[in-house]
Amino acid sequence: MSTFETINLSISPNYIDWGTWEAVRELMQNCKDSHDKGNKGYVRYETTTRKLSIVNEGAKLERSTLLMGGSTKRDDDTQIGCHGEGYKVALTALMRLGKPVYIHNDDELWVPSIRHDDTFNADVVTITISEAPRTTGSIHVVVEDIEEDEMMEILNRVLFLGHGLDQGDGTMYYDIVDSYPLTVYSNDVGTILATTGDLYVRGLYVGKLPHKDWPLGFNFNDLKLNRDRDVPDYNDISNKISALFSAMGDEALEWWPLEDLLDGGVLTKLFYDAYSCSLSDIYGKAFRKDHGDKAVPYLHGYQKEELEGVGLVPIQASHDAYYFLLRSLPSTCDAIAKAGSSYKPTDISEFNHTALDVALGVVSDTYGTVPRVFIVDFVSPSVHVKSVGEDLYVSTDVASDVAKSIVALVKHLDYDADLRLTLVAKMLSKALDHCNV
């Protein structure tokens, strides 16, 4: 066997601190990516020699892949090995762990080692390329000293490995499959798994989802991961899970029923945090269907009484469920205002208009105009002010209070919230100069 050449890589042996699973995971993901491009992949494990082989038929590694960033996967979001450095880092990690590894690359044998480099005056990863004893027309990545418990961990964390076939000589053979075990639902975004809180990306285990009490596990077809394949930011996860449920349409209600949503829980919080209007519409329509057109979600006991007071049906919701449903349903206040906006004239023959007159005066000085104001009794006790066209209807408790009257008038005339605050403060100061109230 003649040696072709030795290539020193600019990778320090101390570059990474991965275990066996993290290193093999990188090799598995490269195998799956190549398999998806038409190069059939499979895995063999020899129980007697503890040798793991990861194979892609019809494939060959180009030497340009030894360059950091030399892979073509950097801009391909559908491939989880998008950094282009995965297999070099995996080889480095395995050598640090004392596990011999080599690549039978078609007609070449690539053997990594750690050697001193005079240029860097440091130890670096070196690839020695020599002529292979035979041409395979494929890539075989071979890792030795894989203990059985390590192999079990790998099998438990790789969804795309099929059921093992015992070849009779202590060698187990695993095909790469497209339909994953543990899958209970699948769409274009990803799959729901019959696990509790496990996160996978394209069939490879990433870790446990943040927070507790997850009723389900998830496998996504694409999700950006960092070099170490850590669990992504919660916002990225919540947006992805929300997208998966949104793509279900009404089927989402089968996996997280409306009543579970109203009670709260980790998925309800996630839906609220993700801010998905399409998902909120699904649950808003279900709310109307299950509870009727007069039903309104509420948070607090006093809201229940007010809703019942105007003929509405109060349905209690958790904090996250309430604000999630607000994206498709009216708020408690809006519902009460709409249902209870009817009013009747009140006897104001002996009503003291001083406070209202002061308010009208200072508002007129600022705006140059004031609306017509009617003092009425509202049907709903929670409604105190109502704009009807250019007119303003107020309850007696508002009309008898300078500050409340000024706020009502300014809100009716001006929609600029920041400006309103400034004007109200000035008007209150001016009103105090008119009378002692």
Side-chain angles (χ1 to χ4, degrees):
M1 183 185 300
S2 59
T3 297
F4 288 172
E5 60 187 298
T6 298
I7 301 175
N8 289 349
L9 308 182
S10 57
I11 303 176
S12 167
N14 300 317
Y15 176 62
I16 200 75
D17 185 20
W18 283 351
T20 301
W21 156 246
E22 288 79 12
V24 172
R25 176 188 59 194
E26 296 296 322
L27 303 176
M28 288 287 184
Q29 73 177 30
N30 286 337
C31 180
K32 179 66 163 63
D33 290 341
S34 184
H35 175 85
D36 290 344
K37 289 188 173 183
N39 301 309
K40 176 178 169 56
Y42 62 88
V43 171
R44 285 202 315 265
Y45 178 65
E46 301 171 23
T47 58
T48 55
T49 62
R50 296 172 297 143
K51 184 183 295 184
L52 172 67
S53 299
I54 303 170
V55 182
N56 282 108
E57 296 178 349
K60 183 174 182 177
L61 284 171
E62 298 297 332
R63 299 190 187 193
S64 60
T65 63
L66 293 173
L67 292 169
M68 296 297 277
S71 168
T72 60
K73 295 192 289 185
R74 178 177 296 275
D75 298 320
D76 189 347
D77 287 344
T78 67
Q79 300 199 29
I80 48 181
C82 65
H83 298 280
E85 63 182 58
Y87 88 90
K88 282 95 71 177
V89 177
L91 298 179
T92 303
L94 290 167
M95 285 189 292
R96 286 195 59 185
L97 293 168
K99 296 185 183 296
V101 57
Y102 60 89
I103 302 173
H104 194 154
N105 187 26
D106 188 17
D107 57 350
E108 296 177 341
L109 192 65
W110 291 17
V111 180
S113 61
I114 298 173
R115 296 185 181 182
H116 185 82
D117 184 281
D118 292 336
T119 301
F120 295 110
N121 192 27
D123 289 342
V124 298
V125 176
T126 298
I127 304 294
T128 300
I129 300 177
S130 60
E131 183 180 357
R134 59 188 175 86
T135 299
T136 62
S138 58
I139 298 173
H140 291 243
V141 182
V142 180
V143 186
E144 299 180 357
D145 294 342
I146 298 294
E147 303 294 341
E148 289 192 27
D149 61 334
E150 292 176 319
M151 188 61 197
M152 285 302 300
E153 181 183 25
I154 292 167
L155 293 174
N156 289 333
R157 293 185 168 193
V158 181
L159 293 178
F160 52 75
L161 292 181
H163 294 294
L165 300 175
D166 191 341
Q167 297 186 314
D169 57 355
T171 300
M172 299 298 295
Y173 174 92
Y174 304 89
D175 256 328
I176 289 183
V177 296
D178 295 322
S179 58
Y180 300 157
L182 304 177
T183 297
V184 293
Y185 178 86
S186 180
N187 61 27
D188 291 341
V189 179
T191 57
I192 295 177
L193 304 172
T195 66
T196 53
D198 293 321
L199 174 64
Y200 290 75
V201 176
R202 294 192 69 233
L204 286 169
Y205 181 75
V206 175
K208 285 290 184 181
L209 290 162
H211 306 302
K212 297 180 180 179
D213 302 323
W214 286 94
L216 306 165
F218 300 93
N219 172 62
F220 295 113
N221 296 333
D222 66 90
L223 182 62
K224 284 286 188 180
L225 301 174
N226 63 17
R227 184 201 64 185
D228 293 333
R229 311 297 187 254
D230 295 324
V231 174
D233 178 82
Y234 171 75
N235 289 333
D236 293 337
I237 294 174
S238 63
N239 288 332
K240 189 62 70 172
I241 294 178
S242 177
L244 188 151
F245 274 84
S246 294
M248 292 182 184
D250 291 341
E251 285 185 90
L253 296 161
E254 298 177 16
W255 296 102
W256 196 242
L258 175 63
E259 294 311 309
D260 289 345
L261 178 102
L262 292 172
D263 288 341
V266 66
L267 271 179
T268 302
K269 174 175 173 52
L270 181 141
F271 290 168
Y272 167 62
D273 291 340
Y275 205 90
S276 169
C277 291
S278 60
L279 190 57
S280 179
D281 286 343
I282 293 171
Y283 282 91
K285 290 176 183 177
F287 184 89
R288 286 280 183 251
K289 180 180 178 182
D290 289 0
H291 297 288
D293 290 338
K294 289 190 174 182
V296 179
Y298 77 94
L299 277 176
H300 307 293
Y302 72 86
Q303 294 173 322
K304 178 182 179 182
E305 295 177 2
E306 292 180 348
L307 287 166
E308 290 173 337
V310 294
L312 298 175
V313 179
I315 304 296
Q316 189 160 23
S318 68
H319 173 276
D320 293 330
Y322 177 79
Y323 286 103
F324 169 70
L325 289 171
L326 284 195
R327 294 163 192 163
S328 60
L329 299 174
S331 69
T332 302
C333 292
D334 288 343
I336 291 172
K338 182 177 180 180
S341 61
S342 57
Y343 45 82
K344 57 185 179 181
T346 185
D347 182 9
I348 58 171
S349 58
E350 297 185 8
F351 183 78
N352 186 344
H353 288 73
T354 302
L356 180 59
D357 289 342
V358 170
L360 287 167
V362 295
V363 170
S364 178
D365 289 344
T366 300
Y367 284 95
T369 184
V370 290
R372 291 192 303 173
V373 179
F374 298 90
I375 302 173
V376 299
D377 283 334
F378 288 99
V379 173
S380 171
S382 66
V383 179
H384 302 278
V385 178
K386 181 73 175 178
S387 293
V388 182
E390 295 182 357
D391 298 334
L392 181 65
Y393 289 68
V394 298
S395 61
T396 53
D397 67 310
V398 171
S400 60
D401 186 287
V402 174
K404 290 180 180 179
S405 295
I406 289 175
V407 170
L409 288 163
V410 173
K411 281 186 176 181
H412 179 78
L413 293 168
D414 201 319
Y415 291 98
D416 187 327
D418 292 333
L419 181 60
R420 285 203 304 256
L421 290 174
T422 302
L423 290 175
V424 166
K426 290 181 178 179
M427 291 178 193
L428 284 174
S429 177
K430 189 173 183 180
L432 291 174
D433 294 336
H434 282 75
C435 59
N436 294 320
V437 289

